Amino acid sequence: MKAAALVRHRFVTVAGIETFYREAGPQEAPVLLLPHGYPCSSYEFRNLMPRLGDRWRLIAPDFPGAGYSGTPDDFDYSFDGYAAWLEAFTGAVEIDRFALYLHDFGSPIGARLAIRNPKRIAALIIQNGDIPYEDALGAKYKDIEATWTLPRAEMRKALADAISEETFREEFLNDLSPPLADTIPPDLWRLHWSLITPRRKEIAIDLIAGLKENRAWFPEHRKYLRENSPPTLIVWGPNDHYMPEKSARAYLRDLPDAELHLLDGGHWLLETHLEEVAALTRDFLGRVHTG
């Protein structure tokens, strides 16, 4: 049995922002870049990284305004702004070509990075990522869409009311059956809620409100997938109010050769189905991203 790789915890300055990131694996190994989702941080990858670090270099940053990274006032807290920052981060840690793990809000951010230079992307692993298919979104998205018809001030208030420790808890439990819900550690919502400041709450409002404008970018995301056809593993938990099984299958419209695996879990598979995801990822990367 292989010994688990140690995860290193570091800070680097990226575009003037103090940035926290986790790293595992040999410096010279092929890279898997792990941009995190909402309302989380690089913490979501803490258990996956040791399981793959014997063969790959895994790097998971905290976005500005999240986790242990800084929260500057003059940053562009949008999907475009985060993608530009993520590109700068890859330069700061000196990686050029890499596989991308796309989960939650990390999906539109990572996809924007891929579109900037498709040749840098060795492969995609898509795990309950925010999808670019309007007709395949889950029922919970209707709650967000309902705020789009409100005047701006009312919309922001409605979103602010939905950002609380209790809603963080609901985000992490997200449609899981009781036996699986019991495996989700409360550290997830309590840790991440403890890191919310008034400024970070405004950032979260901006990002969720930005989902409306993000719809106009969906065709560009689909075009990237269709025209570049990166090797892709889709591993999905269908018990997800936001992104159920139909969301996973929608990717096959533009990635017909993608490998699709549906697990009996939900949005946070790395908490409930870690070993299965790690094994599927290891097998996939062992075939498509070996250096």
Side-chain angles (χ1 to χ4, degrees):
M1 181 177 181
K2 296 183 180 67
L6 293 176
V7 177
R8 303 177 291 277
H9 305 88
R10 293 174 168 167
F11 284 91
V12 65
T13 299
V14 179
I17 303 166
E18 186 178 47
T19 298
F20 174 81
Y21 69 102
R22 303 168 197 262
E23 182 175 9
Q27 186 77 15
E28 69 280 2
V31 174
L32 175 58
L33 183 62
L34 302 153
H36 65 81
Y38 172 86
C40 208
S41 66
S42 62
Y43 185 76
E44 72 171 272
F45 298 112
R46 70 198 182 283
N47 294 322
L48 178 67
M49 297 175 77
R51 285 163 170 78
L52 299 177
D54 62 306
R55 189 168 178 186
W56 291 275
R57 181 184 175 198
L58 298 99
I59 305 176
D62 285 351
F63 290 131
Y68 300 127
S69 288
T71 310
D73 289 331
D74 57 352
F75 184 77
D76 176 12
Y77 293 101
S78 69
F79 292 115
D80 288 333
Y82 277 125
W85 175 88
L86 189 58
E87 184 172 47
F89 174 79
T90 64
V93 296
E94 300 180 337
I95 59 173
D96 180 48
R97 183 169 166 80
F98 43 86
L100 263 174
Y101 192 107
L102 302 181
H103 175 245
D104 196 87
F105 278 2
S107 180
I109 295 167
R112 280 168 166 81
L113 175 65
I115 289 168
R116 285 168 176 259
N117 189 344
K119 292 182 179 179
R120 300 184 73 187
I121 308 306
L124 298 179
I125 300 166
I126 307 175
Q127 189 258 297
N128 293 75
D130 267 46
I131 66 170
Y133 303 95
E134 300 93 328
D135 63 330
L137 291 164
K140 191 69 173 175
Y141 262 99
K142 295 188 185 307
D143 294 342
I144 297 173
E145 292 167 353
T147 68
W148 296 350
T149 63
L150 300 173
R152 177 175 172 80
E154 291 183 31
M155 177 186 73
R156 292 186 67 82
K157 183 180 185 307
L159 293 176
D161 291 343
I163 298 172
S164 67
E165 183 174 358
E166 180 56 29
T167 56
F168 274 28
R169 178 180 180 275
E170 291 172 2
E171 292 289 330
F172 286 113
L173 296 181
N174 191 352
D175 201 27
L176 287 178
S177 63
L180 280 179
D182 288 344
T183 70
I184 301 289
D187 311 71
L188 283 166
W189 60 85
R190 290 182 178 171
L191 167 63
H192 290 95
W193 180 250
S194 75
L195 296 171
I196 292 292
T197 62
R199 179 69 185 110
R200 286 188 169 192
K201 187 167 185 175
E202 290 296 315
I203 290 166
I205 293 170
D206 289 341
L207 200 57
I208 297 170
L211 289 171
K212 180 178 181 180
E213 288 71 30
N214 191 54
R215 290 287 174 91
W217 173 81
F218 279 12
E220 188 175 354
H221 188 171
R222 296 193 297 262
K223 180 182 178 183
Y224 161 76
L225 298 174
R226 186 170 59 253
E227 293 186 353
N228 292 278
S229 299
T232 301
L233 169 68
I234 304 170
V235 57
W236 211 268
N239 301 314
D240 185 336
H241 280 309
Y242 291 99
M243 285 156 275
E245 180 177 335
K246 66 179 180 180
S247 302
R249 294 191 180 280
Y251 277 105
L252 299 178
R253 303 173 192 174
D254 295 301
L255 293 169
D257 295 327
E259 301 176 29
L260 172 62
H261 298 268
L262 298 171
L263 305 183
D264 185 24
H267 192 75
W268 302 92
L269 285 177
L270 296 183
E271 301 298 330
T272 62
H273 291 71
L274 174 65
E275 301 303 338
E276 293 95 323
V277 175
L280 288 167
T281 302
R282 174 178 290 278
D283 174 70
F284 173 70
L285 291 179
R287 288 182 279 113
V288 305
H289 187 38
T290 57

